[in-house]
Amino acid sequence: MAKKVQAMVKLQIAAGKATPAPPVGTALGPHGVNIMDFCKNFNAKTSKDEGLIIPVVVTVYADRSYSFITKTPPAPVLIREAAGLDKAAETPGRGFVGKITDAQLTEIAQTKLPDLNTDDLDAAKLQIAGTARSMGIEVV
């Protein structure tokens, strides 16, 4: 018999750096989840992606147990990393603050493909290129 789902909580946490402090504690605490156990499991699963922000969907069951699914890092995080920037343009559309190559664009699109609404790599590249443009980053 399937467990009864009490809540689904979506968070974005730095890979390998989950702590019981906010946002993890404040999001999961009211649902009765063992926060230290979640942090230990999340950090073990994401330790190889150190330095990236990892979206996670935590499913909390009625018996206070949980399961979680990690997603790929957000596209803007990957684009900023590829361009070597700390932040995107403050006024996008009025010039470019950085550049990424087509090869970097392809790599980011392949990374994001499981979480996008397409199976086509060319369509994924167009989506990522649009995100880069809106950040003030040129694709060359």
Side-chain angles (χ1 to χ4, degrees):
M1 188 168 133
K3 292 182 178 182
K4 184 176 184 329
V5 175
Q6 177 182 336
M8 292 185 77
V9 181
K10 295 180 181 181
L11 298 167
Q12 289 191 0
I13 309 169
K17 295 187 178 169
T19 63
V24 178
T26 54
L28 298 180
H31 300 292
V33 171
N34 182 338
I35 298 168
M36 282 305 299
D37 185 51
F38 169 78
C39 291
K40 194 183 319 172
N41 291 336
F42 178 83
N43 291 341
K45 187 172 183 176
T46 61
S47 61
K48 67 186 181 314
D49 297 324
E50 197 80 34
L52 293 174
I53 301 293
I54 304 292
V56 60
V57 179
V58 183
T59 305
V60 182
Y61 301 103
D63 64 356
R64 295 186 178 178
S65 63
Y66 67 91
S67 63
F68 67 94
I69 300 168
T70 56
K71 305 279 188 174
T72 57
V77 172
L78 297 172
I79 292 167
R80 276 197 329 262
E81 185 180 274
L85 299 172
D86 290 333
K87 63 183 205 171
E90 291 184 15
T91 55
R94 299 188 184 203
F96 295 105
V97 294
K99 296 180 182 184
I100 61 172
T101 64
D102 190 63
Q104 289 172 312
L105 180 71
T106 303
E107 183 180 326
I108 293 168
Q110 286 173 334
T111 302
K112 287 296 296 174
L113 203 55
D115 290 342
L116 294 176
N117 60 357
T118 182
D119 292 331
D120 181 26
L121 184 60
D122 291 332
K125 285 175 67 172
L126 288 173
Q127 287 182 20
I128 302 300
T131 302
R133 257 192 321 278
S134 71
M135 294 172 63
I137 298 173
E138 185 178 16
V139 179
V140 291

